[in-house]
């Protein structure tokens, strides 16, 4: 077993055009003051990171790492969620997903998907240059609009969706393998990979690819009413990344999992700052430690109530308090009695 690394901070929910949040240097200083040890960088945010240059230049990667190091931090991982989303887009989401893509490929789903794949290839190369071995992403979705089976889904619809999903992701997994990087799919509602069953459906179609891994975020399990501790038991060998995010689910006589099309504040299931929700993080950290999780515990802050600065400061302390410093001592060693084999055999009655 090893001690989980952390706390890291996912920057996607914090970057913006305001001072302190509009450059990597400013965010690094801000995060260090709040107690973080690492930053998880979203590669689609050009204010923070030049993906193409990072893929091609060791000098640039050294400069980026240096900016972070000036504040006592390191880079934990790169994330590609919005790019992964564009690899596979159902037509119902074309207009909304076009907002994540450059103008030149908007309105052209094939060109948009190809562009997204190219960006993921760059992210794999950039990760290698930065000395990182994991990338977080979304799977995208073809089948999500059909998640509830009414009207009855035509036979073969889901199979065709996952066949195409695998066809698009297999080459990207191979690129990641060539760069020594795991591709960690966040298990997330609205993605075709939204639970263990759907992850297995893709994994089977990519022949159990060694680089096909999981980004584990228990908040999404609360909102789906999945057993997140059982999930760790089942899939711990595939869990490569960990987003520490809290949530609560309080169904009423008016709404449940689907939320009644309400805002985040008015949904039965909603994200909360760390410690304000219902996730059993003590058990999660215990299980991940027991299973020798080698990655980072990364705060992904999302809350419909609390100020983000308070959420970040409290979240860093929360993660530090939950990380288990692994012992190098067996607690009952004081009562141990070393015996040679002959005496052990005597205790067992073995001649």
């Amino acid at each position: 077993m090893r001690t989980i690394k952390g706390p890291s901070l996912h920057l996607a929910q914090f970057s913006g055009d305001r001072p302190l949040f509009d450059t990597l240097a400013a965010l690094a200083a801000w995060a260090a003051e709040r107690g973080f040890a690492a930053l998880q960088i979203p590669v689609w945010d050009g204010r923070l990171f030049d993906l193409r240059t990072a893929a091609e230049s060791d000098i640039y990667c050294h400069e980026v790492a240096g900016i972070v190091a000036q504040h006592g931090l390191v880079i934990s991982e790169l994330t590609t969620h919005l790019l992964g989303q564009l690899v596979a887009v159902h037509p119902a989401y074309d207009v909304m997903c076009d907002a994540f893509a450059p103008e030149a490929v908007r309105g052209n789903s094939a060109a948009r998907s190809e562009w997204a794949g190219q960006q993921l290839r760059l992210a794999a190369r950039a990760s290698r240059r930065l000395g990182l071995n994991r990338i977080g992403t979304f799977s995208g979705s073809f089948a999500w609009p059909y998640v509830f089976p009414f009207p009855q889904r035509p036979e073969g619809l889901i199979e065709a969706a996952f066949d195409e999903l695998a066809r698009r992701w297999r080459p990207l997994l191979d690129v990641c393998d060539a760069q020594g990087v795991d591709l960690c799919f966040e298990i997330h509602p609205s993605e075709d990979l939204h639970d263990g069953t759907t992850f297995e459906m893709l994994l089977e179609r990519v022949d159990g690819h060694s680089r096909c891994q999981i980004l584990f975020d228990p908040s999404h399990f609360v909102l789906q009413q999945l057993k997140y501790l059982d999930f760790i038991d089942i899939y711990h060998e595939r869990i490569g990344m960990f987003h520490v995010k809290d949530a609560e689910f309080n169904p009423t006589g008016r709404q449940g999992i689907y939320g009644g099309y309400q805002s985040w504040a008015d949904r039965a299931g909603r994200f909360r700052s760390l410690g304000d929700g219902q996730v059993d993080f003590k058990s999660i950290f215990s299980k991940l430690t027991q299973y020798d999780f080698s990655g980072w515990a990364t705060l992904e802050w999302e809350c419909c109530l609390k100020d983000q600065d308070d959420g970040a400061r409290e979240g860093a302390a929360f993660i530090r308090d939950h990380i288990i410093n692994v012992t190098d001592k067996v607690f009952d060693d004081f009562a141990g009695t070393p015996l040679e084999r002959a005496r052990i055999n005597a205790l067992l009655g073995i001649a």
Side-chain angles (χ1 to χ4, degrees), residues 286-307:
S286 293
K287 278 193 177 290
L288 289 175
T289 301
Q290 171 191 342
Y291 286 124
D292 200 27
F293 175 68
S294 62
W296 286 82
T298 299
L299 172 66
E300 185 186 24
W301 177 87
E302 293 180 358
C303 185
C304 56
L305 301 177
K306 184 170 285 185
D307 174 77

Side-chain angles (χ1 to χ4, degrees), residues 193-245:
L193 304 193
H194 59 269
D195 57 15
T197 299
T198 50
F199 176 76
E200 290 178 15
M201 290 166 68
L202 177 66
L203 187 63
E204 179 182 5
R205 285 167 169 80
V206 295
D207 301 316
H209 203 293
S210 64
R211 298 297 179 179
C212 186
Q213 301 286 317
I214 291 169
L215 191 166
F216 173 71
D217 180 339
S219 66
H220 302 301
F221 291 66
V222 171
L223 269 56
Q224 294 186 76
Q225 292 295 280
L226 286 166
K227 294 184 176 182
Y228 47 81
L229 297 179
D230 289 355
F231 184 93
I232 296 173
D233 287 332
I234 297 167
Y235 299 107
H236 59 89
E237 293 181 348
R238 292 276 176 177
I239 295 176
M241 293 173 64
F242 173 27
H243 273 176
V244 191
K245 189 171 73 179

Side-chain angles (χ1 to χ4, degrees), residues 64-117:
V64 170
I67 289 171
V68 172
Q70 286 178 1
H71 302 282
L73 307 177
V74 298
I75 301 170
S76 58
E77 302 99 354
L78 303 181
T79 59
T80 64
H81 288 70
L82 297 189
L83 305 174
Q85 185 74 59
L86 298 184
V87 169
V89 178
H90 187 279
Y93 302 107
D94 267 337
V95 172
M96 291 181 287
C97 284
D98 266 350
F100 305 151
E103 188 172 352
V105 299
R106 292 175 186 172
N108 185 333
S109 61
R112 186 182 58 204
S113 179
E114 177 60 27
W115 174 84

Side-chain angles (χ1 to χ4, degrees), residues 43-58:
V43 302
W44 62 84
D45 192 333
R47 291 166 299 199
L48 310 181
F49 193 72
D50 186 326
L51 177 57
R52 180 167 294 279
T53 302
E56 298 172 351
S57 171
D58 288 329

